[in-house]
Amino acid sequence: MNYVREYIDKLKSGEIVACEKIKKWYIGHIEPIIDDLDEKYYFDEEEGERFIKFAKLCKQSKGEWYGKPIDLCLFQKAKYQAIFGIFRRSDGLRRFREIFDVRGRKNGKSTENSILGLYLTLEEPGAEIYVAATVFSQARRIWEESQSMIDSEVVFQKRFKYKVFPTPTIYTTHKSTYKVLSKNVKTFDGLNASGAIIDEVHELPRQIYDILKQSMSVRKQPLLSMITTAGFVREGLFDDIYDYAKKVVDGVFEDDTFFPLIYELDSPNEIEDSGCWIKANPALGVIKSVEFLDSNVHRMQGDMNFANSVKIKDFNIIGVDNNAWLSYDDFNVETIYTEDELKKFDNTYCIGGFDLSRTGDMTAFTTLLFDTKKHKIIALTMYWITSDFLNKQLEDKACKVPWQAWVDRGLVRISGKNLIDYHDIANYVSSLFQQHGYMYQAINYDSYSAQYLIEELASMGYAKDYCLKATPQGYKTLSVPMQTLEAHLKQKKICYQNNPVTKWCLSNVELVQDRNGNYMPQKNQNNSNRKIDGVATILNCYVSLCENMSYYLDE
């Protein structure tokens, strides 16, 4: 059976409703290979079908399907027949090495992962298969599902053995193993993985993914499989891979080893159309209950906190925590001014703002530039952390924030060992003047611990009180700037250069109000790990901007 051909035909005819990313991937990237029109790759239908036949030997272990053989849905059959059936003409090795599959919750991903773990264990002698998740118990649940499949099938009992203690391990007589990864990241370095399964990527620390990926370097045709829903954590591992997957689907970036499947709504408004729900839930009506999803959609009309969960977990609309100030769509501003475009703002008036920390928080400095022709505001923000802070984050295996990657990209700078060196911020401001001639009409700041930096900036010619303006961090000062910034973000009027650190800070802001309805930002859930320093500096700038809006934007 050519399930890939069947799936593509139904996508093209509209019999199967799917989002544009799925259609673009299968019709644009996979169909030419299936039709034998690709010079680099060929399709072996029978070889690709081996996984599907293997899945039929596995039995369900839960609910109404308990004890019944697993019959994969067509979208699953097409996926695995393509992954295991497409080979390189040059050497006959499998093309795909990494899967990124985003789908709504309760669409069969855990069962699918459990089958895959067993299949990869048998694929070659000496295979090393690992399953990882945010927490050890979640990874173990997938392994335990595989264990149940062994217990319920005589054929498997002859091929597999397992032990639960000390590390849950399934093994074969050919010295292949299938294990749950330890929670201790430091023990991963000796891995020689031929296959890996990662569940719920949106919660996973980047370090685990990197180590698993690197551990496959000596294998001829390894496979790393990620099946996940969208999550609440922004600018972490999920966003990195999701953005990469979009580029591969769109043909912006060529990666022949990467297999991206993004099941999502084409527009958030499609939640109102039950006929579109299957776009994010390909197993709807077979594995996932239509009635259950309908009840969730109905409830979200009167429960905003629940609504955010449904949008993100059932429909893969990229979002943030329920208590967040803004939705992801509100602050997802992807516009970027190029270096040549930014040169046009050299030697112009601007506004600055900084938030100076001494120890655990970031320090940030923002410069607002004004494009009066396009009526746009450009926010350029630099960040600093101490070396001790960075080391602490890298040692924390639960940390999901890619601090080292941001440092490597020059988005965050190291300043001092355990205290931020304020000279670094002063030197940064000086360099902006020397390189670009930025003329700060105002530099707004939180006066806490800022005295030494103020004195140094004053010695550079920035007058106290006139240019250097202490900005109280309270409701009375920040309410109007916060409302104005919210409006500008929603109107896409402010461009923060799609800086991932700034985007992360925006996702961490929670709105608090006093009895008079005035606004003030705070860290989401008052979690000290959720930094908002970049937003704080932009708001400081907005204090002066709101006082002189017509002057800066010529409005």
Side-chain angles (χ1 to χ4, degrees):
M1 291 290 294
N2 191 333
Y3 297 107
V4 186
R5 177 78 268 166
E6 181 183 355
Y7 189 61
I8 290 173
D9 287 345
K10 290 184 177 181
L11 287 175
K12 294 170 78 171
S13 70
E15 182 178 345
I16 290 179
V17 177
C19 68
E20 290 303 314
K21 290 184 179 66
I22 292 297
K23 290 189 286 188
K24 187 180 292 187
W25 172 249
Y26 273 106
I27 298 170
H29 295 264
I30 301 300
E31 187 175 28
I33 302 172
I34 302 305
D35 292 342
D36 201 27
L37 299 176
D38 193 283
E39 295 181 354
K40 295 169 61 178
Y41 302 102
Y42 68 92
F43 176 58
D44 186 328
E45 180 182 307
E46 293 184 3
E47 189 66 25
E49 196 176 0
R50 288 180 60 195
F51 177 86
I52 299 163
K53 292 178 178 178
F54 179 85
K56 291 180 180 179
L57 296 174
C58 302
K59 293 183 173 63
Q60 301 276 4
S61 65
K62 294 182 176 66
E64 60 184 287
W65 298 290
Y66 177 81
K68 296 180 180 179
I70 294 171
D71 185 14
L72 298 175
C73 298
L74 179 58
F75 79 94
Q76 295 170 309
K77 293 176 180 178
K79 167 186 172 180
Y80 286 104
Q81 193 174 35
I83 289 166
F84 288 108
I86 293 178
F87 298 90
R88 300 193 302 223
R89 295 187 188 275
S90 60
D91 56 14
L93 293 178
R94 201 167 57 222
R95 169 181 171 174
F96 295 108
R97 310 294 173 85
E98 185 170 353
I99 308 166
F100 182 63
D101 186 337
V102 182
R103 64 177 82 155
R105 59 184 163 189
K106 303 300 180 184
N107 277 273
K109 62 184 179 64
S110 294
T111 300
E112 193 176 308
N113 277 332
S114 300
I115 299 169
L116 182 61
L118 290 177
Y119 185 80
L120 292 176
T121 307
L122 290 177
E123 195 177 34
E124 62 177 295
E128 287 186 24
I129 313 302
Y130 299 93
V131 57
T134 312
V135 293
F136 184 79
S137 58
Q138 174 63 20
R140 178 162 178 157
R141 277 195 292 271
I142 293 171
W143 184 90
E144 288 174 345
E145 182 72 10
S146 300
Q147 178 191 17
S148 296
M149 291 173 181
I150 294 172
D151 289 340
S152 62
E153 175 54 53
V154 175
V155 174
F156 287 168
Q157 293 170 18
K158 294 178 180 179
R159 302 296 300 274
F160 297 104
K161 302 297 180 183
Y162 62 79
K163 61 179 182 179
V164 178
F165 184 83
T167 300
T169 305
I170 293 170
Y171 54 93
T172 72
T173 55
H174 295 92
K175 297 184 179 180
S176 295
T177 58
Y178 166 22
K179 298 181 179 181
V180 182
L181 277 179
S182 165
K183 292 179 287 185
N184 186 354
V185 176
K186 294 180 181 179
T187 66
F188 293 6
D189 292 337
L191 303 183
N192 181 17
S194 56
I197 296 165
I198 298 177
D199 191 49
E200 297 298 5
V201 174
H202 62 89
E203 289 286 345
L204 197 78
R206 174 91 202 193
Q207 187 178 9
I208 295 178
Y209 167 83
D210 288 341
I211 291 174
L212 280 172
K213 182 77 173 170
Q214 293 162 9
S215 74
M216 297 177 166
S217 60
V218 299
R219 298 284 185 168
K220 286 187 176 181
Q221 48 182 16
L223 187 64
L224 171 61
S225 174
M226 296 170 283
I227 309 180
T228 183
T229 59
F232 299 105
V233 178
R234 295 279 61 84
E235 295 308 313
L237 176 61
F238 176 90
D239 282 3
D240 287 347
I241 301 180
Y242 178 87
D243 288 342
Y244 183 77
K246 287 195 300 181
K247 292 176 183 176
V248 173
V249 171
D250 291 337
V252 175
F253 193 87
E254 185 175 344
D255 183 347
D256 288 355
T257 67
F258 194 78
F259 194 93
L261 293 176
I262 302 176
Y263 291 95
E264 64 181 9
L265 300 182
D266 289 311
S267 165
N269 296 330
E270 290 181 338
I271 289 181
E272 305 298 326
D273 183 356
S274 60
C276 293
W277 293 352
I278 197 170
K279 290 183 178 183
N281 298 275
L284 189 63
V286 181
I287 299 174
K288 185 168 184 172
S289 165
V290 177
E291 182 180 359
F292 176 77
L293 184 56
D294 184 65
S295 67
N296 283 352
V297 173
H298 178 73
R299 178 181 167 184
M300 65 183 280
Q301 308 302 324
D303 186 340
M304 295 307 297
N305 287 337
F306 186 69
N308 204 30
S309 175
V310 172
K311 289 177 182 178
I312 294 166
K313 305 298 285 184
D314 287 305
F315 294 107
N316 289 325
I317 297 171
I318 307 300
V320 294
D321 278 346
N322 292 331
N323 297 322
W325 168 38
L326 301 167
S327 72
Y328 183 76
D329 286 339
D330 289 340
F331 63 76
N332 183 33
V333 182
E334 296 185 349
T335 304
I336 295 177
Y337 281 74
T338 66
E339 289 187 15
D340 287 341
E341 289 172 328
L342 286 175
K343 287 179 181 178
K344 298 176 183 178
F345 303 98
D346 286 358
N347 304 306
T348 59
Y349 293 131
C350 59
I351 297 175
F354 68 84
D355 183 44
L356 183 65
S357 69
R358 296 297 287 170
T359 52
D361 276 337
M362 288 190 295
T363 284
F365 188 100
T366 291
T367 299
L368 293 188
L369 303 173
F370 303 99
D371 188 341
T372 55
K373 292 182 179 180
K374 296 181 180 180
H375 297 284
K376 296 280 188 181
I377 301 166
I378 307 166
L380 308 177
T381 306
M382 180 54 68
Y383 298 89
W384 293 264
I385 56 176
T386 65
S387 58
D388 280 358
F389 175 85
L390 176 62
N391 292 332
K392 181 179 178 181
Q393 300 306 308
L394 296 179
E395 290 171 1
D396 183 1
K397 52 183 178 286
C399 178
K400 306 178 185 72
V401 182
W403 290 107
Q404 187 62 61
W406 288 345
V407 170
D408 293 342
R409 292 175 58 185
L411 301 169
V412 177
R413 297 179 179 180
I414 303 299
S415 175
K417 185 178 185 299
N418 52 30
L419 293 175
I420 294 290
D421 186 345
Y422 64 86
H423 293 297
D424 292 334
I425 293 83
N427 291 336
Y428 171 75
V429 176
S430 176
S431 70
L432 291 179
F433 177 75
Q434 293 173 11
Q435 295 173 24
H436 302 287
Y438 293 157
M439 294 179 282
Y440 291 97
Q441 299 298 287
I443 297 178
N444 296 76
Y445 63 93
D446 177 2
S447 58
Y448 176 75
S449 297
Q451 189 57 40
Y452 290 112
L453 178 56
I454 292 302
E455 294 297 333
E456 185 160 351
L457 290 174
S459 70
M460 294 163 53
Y462 298 103
K464 293 182 183 179
D465 298 327
Y466 177 76
C467 177
L468 300 173
K469 297 184 177 182
T471 306
Q473 304 294 290
Y475 292 105
K476 184 177 180 180
T477 306
L478 297 180
S479 184
V480 172
M482 196 167 183
Q483 294 176 63
T484 306
L485 176 57
E486 178 179 350
H488 285 176
L489 285 165
K490 291 179 177 179
Q491 295 164 5
K492 311 305 178 187
K493 191 170 186 174
I494 181 169
C495 168
Y496 55 84
Q497 293 294 85
N498 202 25
N499 185 321
V501 190
T502 303
K503 185 178 288 188
W504 176 64
C505 288
L506 283 162
S507 75
N508 293 332
V509 177
E510 182 176 320
L511 179 69
V512 291
Q513 292 180 282
D514 66 7
R515 64 177 65 184
N516 297 315
N518 295 312
Y519 293 172
M520 186 173 166
Q522 72 175 20
K523 296 172 184 176
N524 199 287
Q525 300 178 7
N526 267 326
N527 187 333
S528 61
N529 292 321
R530 299 189 171 197
K531 310 302 181 186
I532 65 171
D533 306 84
V535 180
T537 63
I538 295 174
L539 283 174
N540 283 340
C541 292
Y542 262 65
V543 172
S544 285
L545 175 61
C546 290
E547 293 173 352
N548 300 280
M549 189 72 72
S550 60
Y551 174 77
Y552 289 107
L553 287 177
D554 194 23
E555 295 180 346

